[in-house]
Amino acid sequence: MSLLNSHFSRRFVAVLLGIVVMCLALALAIYNDLNTAETEFTELNNEIETALTRRLDNINASLRSLSGMHHAMTRLTQQELSAFAQEIGRSHPYIKAILQLRLVEQEERAAYEDEFRESGFPTFQMLGSDTNGAMVTSPVHDTYMSLNFIEPLDPGLARYLGLDFYSREELKAGVERAVRSGEVSISPSHPIDRDAFLAFKAVYKGFFVPRSAEQRVAQVHGAYALLIDAHTVFEDIIDHYRHLGLRLVTLNDGEETPLFEKVTPRSDSLASRLLPHQKSTREIDLGPAKFRIHVESPVSSATFKPARWATVMVTFLGLYIAAVAVVFTRIRAAEAAREAKEQLFQEKERAQVTLQSIGEAVITTDPTGVVDFMNPVAEHLTGWDAHEACGRHLNEIFSLVSESDGTALPDPIARALRDHDESEAAAIMVRSDGATIAVIENAAAIRDSDGNFTGAALIVRDVSRERNLLREMAFQATHDPLTRLINRRQFERELIAVIEDAMKAESQHALMYIDLDQFKAINDSCGHIAGDQLLKQVASHLGENIRRLDRLARLGGDEFGVLLRDCSIKKALEVAESLRHEIKDVHLHWEDKSFRISLSIGVVAINKDSGSLDEVLRAADAACYVAKDQGRNRVHYYQPNDEMLARRSSDMQWLHKLREAIDNDQLVLYTQTIFPLNDDKPQPPMSELLVRMIDNDGRLVPPMTFIPAAERFNLMFDLDIWVIGSAFRQFAELWRRFPDDPRIFTINLSGQSLDHPDLERAIQELEMQYNVDPHRICFEITETSVIANMDRALSLMDQLRRRGFLFALDDFGTGLSSFAYLKKLPVDYLKIDGEFVRDILHDPVDKAMVDTIKRIGGVLGMMTIAEAIEDAETCQLLNAMGIDYGQGYHLGKPEPGQIMPQTSNVIAFKNGK
């Protein structure tokens, strides 16, 4: 009985152990299937990460190329950007568009919008984006980051031209991160495209990216952006693995900003609901920009293999009967073999994917140099298909020659062995079809575990684009991009060398400074594009008419320089006259218009006494301006004792002194009383305000000393505004303290001020600021300035008279048609020119002129003021003729100081003055 029980027990234990073994075998089979699924999911993640990293690197490289081209070429044209967009569009289809952003200040906004309208966008305006993504007119603020250009310019994207990226917070944040870091920044692309995102790269003023964030913010010029179609980035993965869920975000200050999301497809099957989901999160760095990709995939029921489970359980059961130890040993051996095989397969696949996706050409050979592998980049670079190249010697595929002299370089495989298994060299690749490509090649020996040489690997990188870009950057650094002449910086370098040569060898050279006389008028009337074309034509004509030894440069704007080496001053003047006559006779064409321009040329000799670079350039510039002052279209030779140069230098000195005097209130107002002459018609007295300047020594400077300089250098508007502002301030104080002061004050307005568009607004602002009474203020304008600016003068007088201001016509009678236009002018007073008053006692013509002016003024309702009264007899005669007012040294001289109240209204000639 006990034996039976023992046998039963052993059977029971055996069966129980068998069941346990089979359960374990079943669990192991299921685990193996899950592990296989996890391995496949990991490989998939690696593939996604590799593909995304490569594409982000391509985006980074494209933006860096755009930035580099922008800094090298100063300004990328639309054609260059279009060509660049087509190129990267072919190689990177997920790049949907290239965007160029430009920083626009508030004061530049109107000009910027006008520039677009003139270039073919008649309804262009700066746009903003509201919270719903709708396009609205951009509100006014200090700066805008405007979408200046977009390629391709299809209708769907063209409507965003002018979009202010600062009007939308996420776009503004993306641009500002790019500006501060100097690197790539990522942000969503709302409202431009909801299925894409933007990669920004800022560009700055100048040739180099500033080092600090503060400098980058201060010098930002704009930015370039790539519009990335997120769906296309993952298109090959999504199409191949339809069960996947993907979510791409960018990390900004630790927060996730979604860029793309594909939700994991739902399944209604019970098995799918019970099976777990595989999830993975990985981070990718692109400089300061960080990305996080979330991948989710459900474990498919197809992962499990029930047939394999049965085999495993049967095997385990048989092995268990034979020997449990042997079964477990074999299981472990089988698992180890499978793991090793899987690992080897993964490494092989990883190596293949890497070689297929890297941007360099990779070629491997056997020890004799016969090719056994080429990646796609190597196929493209060498022009050989991999199947055709394999089995051929490397020398049949291409050869390498020196960049400097074109001599053949040693076999890269032999060089790799000689240089301790690895070497690198810059070379020119000569393909079998004769094409040449600039490359950098790196050769490395391949050895087995025993150190035996088994072959070589050659990595070749195409650097043609970089070499061409470097050459273009070197050219741009020394040449003007428009005319292709050398620029001012290079010209000054060569000029320094010539000056040093003249000092050491006592040789003779010459410098010409050329200015185009009528270019500004042509540029303003026809636009900058026409101006650029005319500059190119002028540069071509100048280059054709100078000697081969001479050096022509564009110095800036419409200014050119010619350096004449080993040239006497006599010969230099002949060349200058030849250029002047040549350009004068040339017709320059733009569209259907033809122009003629002339040259003003300053010539300076370069010898051992010429001085430094600054002295030579200053002398040439001064001589050129003297040529312009003499009437343009002429040549002027600089000489140290030149009176015209001395006069210009004096005017320049007074210009700086006057500018400083206006800024520092070193000007004073004098008053000269204008007395009523007619007792029968009592009129209020008048006072004319006259300006004087105080020099640094405290001495008064008469107006005829500094007024010519102000007129020559267009400073009269600033001077007149200072006089009006100072006068209005003193009027306000005078009328506050002495409200019964009866005088009318007259203030002179120059012809330059009369022609200035801001004069009316400036006067109105000063009137409101000081709350003055316009009915007691009279502006004097000269007859000649009215004739020169008739339309503007009439408009100004009409607007200011409506506000209550009075007007006097000064120096009346000196014009050629005074009476013809007098009835058109809304003036209150006629000031008779002093030339008619001084000799009125002895010259009947002057007396008749004064009488005629009096009569005409009376008919038109204007009062008359006689200037330059210097004696009592003249004053009495004018009174007898009915002249209303008199002014002159006999009646009263200009007096300094604050405007004081009128204490006397005595008619001067009655006191015997």
Side-chain angles (χ1 to χ4, degrees):
M1 188 68 176
S2 60
L3 182 60
L4 182 60
N5 289 336
S6 174
H7 181 70
F8 178 79
S9 272
R10 286 195 301 269
R11 276 183 152 187
F12 179 79
V13 171
V15 171
L16 184 59
L17 288 176
I19 293 173
V20 170
V21 168
M22 285 193 296
C23 290
L24 290 175
L26 178 61
L28 184 60
I30 294 174
Y31 169 78
N32 187 57
D33 288 345
L34 290 175
N35 189 49
T36 301
E38 183 64 27
T39 300
E40 292 174 351
F41 183 71
T42 301
E43 292 174 3
L44 177 59
N45 273 303
N46 292 337
E47 179 183 350
I48 294 172
E49 181 181 6
T50 300
L52 181 59
T53 301
R54 182 175 71 253
R55 289 163 190 176
L56 292 176
D57 286 340
N58 290 336
I59 293 170
N60 186 19
S62 299
L63 282 173
R64 289 184 179 276
S65 296
L66 273 173
S67 173
M69 290 170 65
H70 177 93
H71 286 289
M73 300 179 183
T74 305
R75 184 172 75 90
L76 289 175
T77 65
Q78 292 187 2
Q79 292 81 4
E80 291 168 337
L81 280 176
S82 297
F84 188 86
Q86 292 174 5
E87 182 177 348
I88 67 172
R90 287 191 296 268
S91 57
H92 310 311
Y94 44 85
I95 298 180
K96 192 173 183 180
I98 293 178
L99 290 71
Q100 182 190 64
L101 309 180
R102 175 177 166 186
L103 185 69
V104 179
E105 303 290 343
Q106 167 56 29
E107 58 269 17
E108 299 173 345
R109 174 174 177 172
Y112 177 75
E113 292 178 338
D114 289 342
E115 180 182 344
F116 258 84
R117 292 166 186 157
E118 292 173 1
S119 63
F121 297 85
T123 61
F124 178 83
Q125 62 177 340
M126 198 87 74
L127 300 173
S129 173
D130 60 18
T131 55
N132 297 322
M135 305 300 291
V136 297
T137 302
S138 177
V140 176
H141 47 82
D142 293 339
T143 56
Y144 311 85
M145 187 61 72
S146 174
L147 178 54
N148 191 59
F149 176 79
I150 189 166
E151 176 66 29
L153 193 62
D154 59 52
L157 296 177
R159 65 192 185 95
Y160 295 105
L161 279 176
L163 174 62
D164 176 20
F165 276 47
Y166 282 174
S167 67
R168 196 169 181 95
E169 288 301 323
E170 60 268 35
L171 295 179
K172 181 178 180 181
V175 174
E176 289 181 343
R177 285 194 300 271
V179 170
R180 288 193 301 270
S181 66
E183 299 292 339
V184 174
S185 172
I186 305 296
S187 80
S189 58
H190 308 326
I192 297 176
D193 195 332
R194 294 187 176 275
D195 295 324
F197 60 92
L198 287 168
F200 297 97
K201 184 74 168 65
V203 292
Y204 306 89
K205 300 172 183 176
F207 292 99
F208 304 101
V209 177
R211 294 187 176 182
S212 68
E214 292 77 10
Q215 291 174 336
R216 289 193 285 269
V217 171
Q219 298 181 29
V220 63
H221 180 67
Y224 286 91
L226 297 180
L227 183 64
I228 310 302
D229 189 339
H231 186 273
T232 306
V233 171
F234 296 102
E235 185 175 17
D236 52 347
I237 298 171
I238 294 174
D239 292 344
H240 191 267
Y241 302 98
R242 299 184 179 277
H243 60 283
L244 282 182
L246 293 174
R247 185 168 183 265
L248 177 66
V249 300
T250 182
L251 301 178
N252 296 319
D253 299 326
E255 297 183 0
E256 292 189 351
T257 302
L259 299 177
F260 172 80
E261 184 171 8
K262 177 184 176 294
V263 179
T264 306
R266 294 186 58 183
S267 176
D268 296 330
S269 66
L270 179 61
S272 298
R273 293 180 182 179
L274 295 176
L275 293 175
H277 280 213
Q278 297 169 310
K279 297 181 180 180
S280 173
T281 299
R282 299 195 180 187
E283 291 189 0
I284 302 174
D285 291 348
L286 183 63
K290 295 183 182 299
F291 299 83
R292 183 173 290 164
I293 181 166
H294 302 276
V295 182
E296 181 177 357
S297 174
V299 177
S300 173
S301 57
T303 302
F304 300 104
K305 310 295 182 182
R308 188 191 308 168
W309 300 352
T311 301
V312 171
M313 286 189 293
V314 171
T315 302
F316 267 70
L317 182 59
L319 293 175
Y320 170 75
I321 296 173
V324 174
V326 174
V327 170
F328 281 109
T329 300
R330 290 181 177 179
I331 290 175
R332 285 195 295 271
E335 288 179 351
R338 282 195 298 271
E339 289 177 0
K341 182 178 180 181
E342 186 66 28
Q343 184 177 0
L344 181 61
F345 177 77
Q346 290 179 10
E347 291 177 356
K348 182 178 179 181
E349 284 296 307
R350 188 179 297 112
Q352 289 289 344
V353 170
T354 301
L355 290 175
Q356 296 290 336
S357 61
I358 63 175
E360 286 81 12
V362 179
I363 304 172
T364 62
T365 70
D366 65 10
T368 63
V370 175
V371 175
D372 55 27
F373 173 79
M374 291 176 64
N375 70 348
V377 178
E379 291 180 328
H380 175 74
L381 189 63
T382 62
W384 282 77
D385 186 80
H387 297 293
E388 297 178 359
C390 290
R392 295 178 180 269
H393 195 276
L394 193 64
N395 292 337
E396 297 182 54
I397 310 300
F398 64 84
S399 60
L400 300 175
V401 299
S402 172
E403 282 189 306
S404 58
D405 55 15
T407 59
L409 294 177
D411 184 356
I413 298 174
R415 193 178 70 248
L417 291 174
R418 182 193 65 198
D419 296 341
H420 306 289
D421 295 344
E422 185 173 353
S423 66
E424 182 175 288
I428 298 296
M429 173 187 284
V430 182
R431 303 196 324 182
S432 58
D433 59 2
T436 59
I437 305 171
V439 298
I440 292 179
E441 54 89 7
N442 186 293
I446 302 175
R447 299 182 182 276
D448 59 18
S449 58
D450 297 326
N452 298 319
F453 178 58
T454 61
L458 186 66
I459 300 175
V460 185
R461 181 162 59 92
D462 183 359
V463 294
S464 301
R465 184 188 300 274
E466 289 87 339
R467 299 294 166 81
N468 293 336
L469 183 58
L470 288 173
R471 282 193 292 269
E472 182 64 23
M473 289 175 63
F475 182 85
Q476 292 289 345
T478 58
H479 288 73
D480 171 48
L482 176 65
T483 62
R484 313 298 283 182
L485 300 176
I486 62 172
N487 57 22
R488 188 182 191 98
R489 182 181 300 175
Q490 180 64 20
F491 186 75
E492 289 180 354
R493 292 193 191 103
E494 298 185 14
L495 183 56
I496 290 173
V498 168
I499 293 172
E500 292 176 351
D501 176 72
M503 290 180 177
K504 295 176 182 178
E506 298 188 0
S507 55
Q508 180 77 19
H509 313 282
L511 170 65
M512 290 194 303
Y513 201 99
I514 302 173
D515 186 274
L516 307 186
D517 293 329
Q518 291 84 15
F519 177 74
K520 184 177 186 300
I522 297 173
N523 205 41
D524 292 343
S525 62
C526 298
H528 293 291
I529 297 177
D532 289 347
Q533 291 299 320
L534 293 180
L535 282 175
K536 292 165 70 174
Q537 294 181 43
V538 170
S540 176
H541 283 293
L542 292 176
E544 294 171 357
N545 290 276
I546 61 175
R547 307 177 310 166
R548 290 187 177 182
L549 291 175
D550 301 337
R551 192 68 156 153
L552 174 64
R554 183 186 179 198
L555 303 181
D558 58 350
E559 297 172 346
F560 295 85
V562 180
L563 180 59
L564 300 98
R565 294 184 175 90
D566 298 318
C567 182
S568 66
I569 194 62
K570 179 180 178 181
K571 181 62 178 177
L573 292 173
E574 292 176 1
V575 174
E577 287 291 348
S578 174
L579 287 178
R580 185 177 69 84
H581 285 289
E582 173 67 25
I583 291 297
K584 184 181 66 174
D585 297 333
V586 171
H587 290 269
L588 302 175
H589 300 282
W590 168 252
E591 294 181 347
D592 58 344
K593 299 178 182 179
S594 180
F595 303 98
R596 281 189 175 183
I597 63 175
S598 59
L599 304 180
S600 294
I601 305 177
V603 181
V604 60
I606 301 176
N607 50 44
K608 61 185 180 64
D609 301 320
S610 298
S612 65
L613 171 68
D614 289 340
E615 292 172 323
V616 171
L617 287 175
R618 192 160 50 245
D621 181 59
C624 180
Y625 270 94
V626 168
K628 294 179 76 69
D629 290 343
Q630 288 179 317
R632 306 173 188 271
N633 189 26
R634 62 191 63 218
V635 176
H636 188 84
Y637 169 47
Y638 172 83
Q639 300 180 73
N641 57 355
D642 195 323
E643 293 183 2
M644 286 180 287
L645 286 173
R647 184 163 59 252
R648 171 174 169 77
S649 177
S650 175
D651 285 347
M652 288 295 293
Q653 292 177 2
W654 279 113
L655 171 66
H656 297 309
K657 292 180 181 179
L658 181 57
R659 178 77 269 174
E660 184 178 349
I662 293 174
D663 294 339
N664 300 325
D665 283 336
Q666 292 177 326
L667 299 167
V668 294
L669 292 180
Y670 275 48
T671 58
Q672 185 178 21
T673 302
I674 304 174
F675 287 94
L677 300 181
N678 196 331
D679 286 337
D680 298 333
K681 300 179 183 178
Q683 299 292 340
M686 305 175 71
S687 290
E688 181 177 0
L689 302 185
L690 306 170
V691 65
R692 302 289 187 268
M693 189 170 79
I694 303 174
D695 64 14
N696 293 332
D697 297 328
R699 294 173 298 185
L700 283 176
V701 180
M704 292 314 296
T705 302
F706 60 85
I707 290 296
E711 291 176 340
R712 177 186 295 270
F713 297 106
N714 297 317
L715 205 58
M716 285 303 300
F717 175 75
D718 295 339
L719 180 60
D720 286 349
I721 292 301
W722 184 94
V723 170
I724 296 171
S726 178
F728 281 17
R729 184 176 65 252
Q730 295 185 47
F731 293 164
E733 179 64 19
L734 171 69
W735 294 334
R736 184 185 65 81
R737 297 174 58 192
F738 304 97
D740 297 328
D741 189 301
R743 283 177 294 172
I744 295 175
F745 294 93
T746 70
I747 301 173
N748 290 280
L749 292 179
S750 67
Q752 290 181 11
S753 297
L754 201 62
D755 194 43
H756 201 285
D758 296 333
L759 177 63
E760 178 187 343
R761 178 179 55 81
I763 292 175
Q764 292 180 6
E765 289 177 354
L766 290 171
E767 175 198 351
M768 291 184 290
Q769 179 181 352
Y770 294 108
N771 194 26
V772 297
D773 181 4
H775 298 86
R776 301 164 73 179
I777 300 171
C778 178
F779 290 112
E780 292 190 24
I781 54 178
T782 63
E783 181 181 357
T784 54
S785 66
V786 170
I787 295 173
N789 305 277
M790 179 65 76
D791 292 337
R792 190 178 292 277
L794 288 173
S795 175
L796 175 72
M797 296 169 70
D798 181 64
Q799 294 297 326
L800 293 182
R801 279 176 61 85
R802 290 182 181 181
R803 301 182 70 88
F805 290 100
L806 306 175
F807 277 89
L809 192 60
D810 197 7
D811 297 337
F812 184 74
T814 59
L816 298 178
S817 57
S818 300
F819 298 116
Y821 65 79
L822 182 59
K823 61 183 179 180
K824 300 179 182 179
L825 297 176
V827 298
D828 304 281
Y829 300 92
L830 290 179
K831 296 192 75 173
I832 304 171
D833 189 79
E835 292 296 325
F836 301 121
V837 177
R838 290 189 181 90
D839 295 329
I840 194 172
L841 295 173
H842 311 291
D843 191 333
V845 175
D846 288 347
K847 182 177 180 181
M849 283 293 298
V850 172
D851 184 63
T852 301
I853 294 172
K854 166 61 184 172
R855 292 176 183 275
I856 295 296
V859 171
L860 297 176
M862 304 174 186
M863 292 190 176
T864 50
I865 302 172
E867 299 179 308
I869 300 176
E870 298 178 355
D871 54 63
E873 292 78 8
T874 300
C875 188
Q876 292 172 353
L877 176 59
L878 292 170
N879 177 60
M881 294 175 68
I883 301 301
D884 298 299
Y885 285 90
Q887 180 181 8
Y889 275 31
H890 170 69
L891 300 176
K893 296 182 180 180
E895 298 178 353
Q898 295 289 326
I899 299 173
M900 299 303 293
Q902 180 72 33
T903 58
S904 173
N905 188 21
V906 178
I907 299 177
F909 66 86
K910 289 189 176 182
N911 289 336
K913 292 184 180 178

